[in-house]
Amino acid sequence: MTDEHLEEGGADLEQDATEILLAELEALKAENAALKEQALRYAAEVENVKRRTEREMNDARAFAIQRFSRDLLGVADILTRALQSAPKAIEDAAFKNFVLGIDMTEKELAQAFEKNGVKKVNPLRGDKFDPNLHQAVMEVPADDVAGGTVVNVMQTGYELFGRIIRPAMVATAAKTATNSAAASAATSAYAHETDTGEDPAVDTKA
């Protein structure tokens, strides 16, 4: 065997070894990519399980507090009505201290509600009626607010972590009464036109 044949054989062996190493390298890269993808999937699954567990724990906690809170809403209503019915001017010292104690109890209960995520739903006069937050129990005539809006709150509502546990019972403005102010203005304008013979829609100063 000549030297030329030996050199050719060595070159073939070197080329084969290089090809084998390159193939193994590609295989390792593919395996590494697959393992990386698998690790990412596992991490995402762990994160999903963590979030789902936290959500379920929050739901369970909210449900437990919700039942307890509902039982205390009646107590809060009684305390509020007691304070509303108490006279403004109290001369008897003992009775004054009694009312003060009720007021302190009502405030302490409200703070406990707030601390545990229970918030009042107490719309103002003229606020838009929201069927998700309010329960309309009656309609009353009202000239100063738009029809269908809240006129007054008959019973305060409550929500827990954004979930309504008791809607606010409200009286709403009758829709037929919303135009009474405009009708009154139109009547006055008509009376002016009748008395002066002028058209109120025409600017006589122009």
Side-chain angles (χ1 to χ4, degrees), residues 156-186:
T156 302
Y158 289 89
E159 64 178 1
L160 174 63
F161 300 128
R163 298 180 179 180
I164 290 295
I165 57 178
R166 190 180 75 182
M169 298 177 63
V170 301
T172 58
K175 295 181 180 180
T176 56
T178 57
N179 296 325
S180 58
S184 177

Side-chain angles (χ1 to χ4, degrees), residues 77 80-81 84 121-123 135-140 150-157 166-172:
D77 293 338
T80 300
R81 285 195 294 267
Q84 291 174 348
V121 178
N122 196 22
Q135 179 181 352
V137 295
M138 62 184 301
E139 284 189 347
V140 296
V150 175
V151 175
N152 65 290
V153 179
M154 304 179 70
Q155 186 181 61
T156 302
R166 190 180 75 182
M169 298 177 63
V170 301
T172 58

Side-chain angles (χ1 to χ4, degrees), residues 24-171:
E24 291 180 351
L25 179 61
E26 292 298 325
L28 289 173
K29 287 182 178 180
E31 184 179 358
N32 181 61
L35 291 173
K36 183 178 180 180
E37 183 179 355
Q38 187 177 18
L40 291 175
R41 286 200 304 268
Y42 286 156
E45 182 63 24
V46 169
E47 185 65 22
N48 290 335
V49 171
K50 180 181 178 181
R51 291 178 180 177
R52 184 165 58 249
T53 302
E54 290 178 352
R55 184 170 61 251
E56 291 175 353
M57 291 178 62
N58 289 335
D59 289 343
R61 178 173 175 267
F63 178 74
I65 297 177
Q66 179 175 329
R67 295 183 60 185
F68 181 66
S69 300
R70 281 179 174 172
D71 292 338
L72 289 179
L73 294 184
V75 178
D77 293 338
I78 292 173
L79 292 173
T80 300
R81 285 195 294 267
L83 290 174
Q84 291 174 348
S85 62
K88 301 298 181 182
I90 303 175
E91 297 181 358
D92 185 76
F95 184 54
K96 186 175 183 179
N97 290 333
F98 176 74
V99 174
L100 179 61
I102 295 177
D103 181 58
M104 293 175 63
T105 304
E106 193 269 342
K107 289 180 180 178
E108 189 69 23
L109 181 59
Q111 291 178 1
F113 279 163
E114 188 76 19
K115 187 182 300 182
N116 288 278
V118 181
K119 297 181 179 180
K120 288 184 177 181
V121 178
N122 196 22
L124 300 175
R125 184 181 181 90
D127 283 354
K128 183 178 179 181
F129 175 80
D130 187 343
N132 297 316
L133 303 176
H134 313 143
Q135 179 181 352
V137 295
M138 62 184 301
E139 284 189 347
V140 296
D143 296 336
D144 59 326
V145 295
T149 58
V150 175
V151 175
N152 65 290
V153 179
M154 304 179 70
Q155 186 181 61
T156 302
Y158 289 89
E159 64 178 1
L160 174 63
F161 300 128
R163 298 180 179 180
I164 290 295
I165 57 178
R166 190 180 75 182
M169 298 177 63
V170 301

